[in-house]
Amino acid sequence: GMKVKAWRLGNTVTAFTDIDGYYCCDKAFKNPFNIDLYFGRNDFEVRPDGKNELVDKKNAVKGARDWTFVKDGNYQFYSHVFRAAFHYYYRTIIDGISRPPMNSEGPKLYIVPKTGYGAAGYGGYFYGTNKMGYIEVYKQQQDKSLTYNYQTDETYGATIHELAHAAHWNFDKNRYANSSKIVIESWARGVEGQLTRKIYPGFADT
């Protein structure tokens, strides 16, 4: 899961959350210390500003005890985007489905979670060039005068969908660029449905 770093001056200890979000650091600090929670791993980063990896911080934490990051609003949105990306990159997936671009293959792919909305009906968008790609995932959609917040499973599915575009693009960039929209979207929707329903069995991709 997410990387957690506890540190004070030159002393640092790192841990990773499990599937349920729990983590344990094997070092205690006698004096106040800091905790950083990273929204990225070796192969991808979540960058709400489009430039820097999101790092949630707790400063001047006192005592050796369990500490919980409780977030709502946009941080919940960012967390679901991370969960979906981690699933597609590192967890067990269906044979025959290619992973998104790895850091070893070129520039690290980054995901920009947008708290606004894109075009009506779009949960995200993949931008690919000959050298690199990145994706956007939207928190909302707007239909005429109505603004609708995507549900958790929809955010998860949209992230998988756009990462599937990135995986398809990475497999053969020239062929991807010259493929019809129906081929490109069919692949992404198929991966979206298969992987998202492993976490949300009732998910219906539309």
Side-chain angles (χ1 to χ4, degrees):
M2 290 184 174
K3 182 173 75 173
V4 182
K5 184 173 74 173
W7 59 277
R8 174 180 168 81
L9 301 176
N11 297 316
T12 301
V13 61
T14 300
F16 294 91
T17 63
D18 64 17
I19 194 171
D20 296 313
Y22 294 102
Y23 65 93
C24 179
C25 293
D26 58 1
K27 183 176 182 178
F29 294 87
K30 294 181 179 180
N31 298 302
F33 60 98
N34 308 292
I35 301 177
D36 297 342
L37 180 64
Y38 291 82
F39 283 70
R41 293 295 295 267
N42 186 58
D43 298 297
F44 72 91
E45 290 180 353
V46 177
R47 303 180 182 178
D49 64 357
K51 299 178 181 179
N52 302 293
E53 177 185 5
L54 177 63
V55 182
D56 191 12
K57 298 176 179 290
K58 278 183 179 290
N59 296 321
V61 174
K62 297 180 180 179
R65 51 157 292 179
D66 295 334
W67 289 96
T68 303
F69 285 76
V70 179
K71 296 292 183 179
D72 54 17
N74 290 337
Y75 271 90
Q76 283 190 351
F77 171 53
Y78 302 150
S79 297
H80 292 309
V81 169
F82 177 92
R83 287 174 58 232
F86 185 87
H87 176 181
Y88 198 168
Y89 266 99
Y90 304 120
R91 294 185 65 188
T92 301
I93 59 175
I94 300 168
D95 289 343
I97 295 180
S98 55
R99 303 277 185 180
M102 298 293 182
N103 191 28
S104 59
E105 300 174 289
K108 181 182 294 189
L109 185 139
Y110 62 94
I111 306 166
V112 183
K114 296 282 192 177
T115 55
Y117 53 83
Y122 284 82
Y125 199 86
F126 168 69
Y127 298 86
T129 68
N130 288 331
K131 295 183 179 180
M132 67 175 296
Y134 73 95
I135 70 174
E136 292 180 349
V137 179
Y138 309 126
K139 185 179 181 181
Q140 302 173 323
Q141 69 165 312
Q142 190 175 57
D143 185 9
K144 297 180 180 179
S145 60
L146 299 177
T147 299
Y148 166 79
N149 284 337
Y150 285 111
Q151 300 298 309
T152 299
D153 61 340
E154 294 173 312
T155 294
Y156 201 97
T159 306
I160 295 290
H161 183 105
E162 301 309 326
L163 286 171
H165 280 314
H168 193 180
W169 163 83
N170 191 54
F171 184 74
D172 190 325
K173 297 178 178 61
N174 290 329
R175 182 176 294 181
Y176 180 89
N178 293 293
S179 294
S180 65
K181 183 176 181 180
I182 191 170
V183 170
I184 292 172
E185 290 301 327
S186 295
W187 167 263
R189 288 185 63 180
V191 175
E192 172 189 359
Q194 289 293 328
L195 298 189
T196 304
R197 279 191 285 272
K198 286 187 171 296
I199 307 300
Y200 301 97
F203 176 74
D205 51 324
T206 57

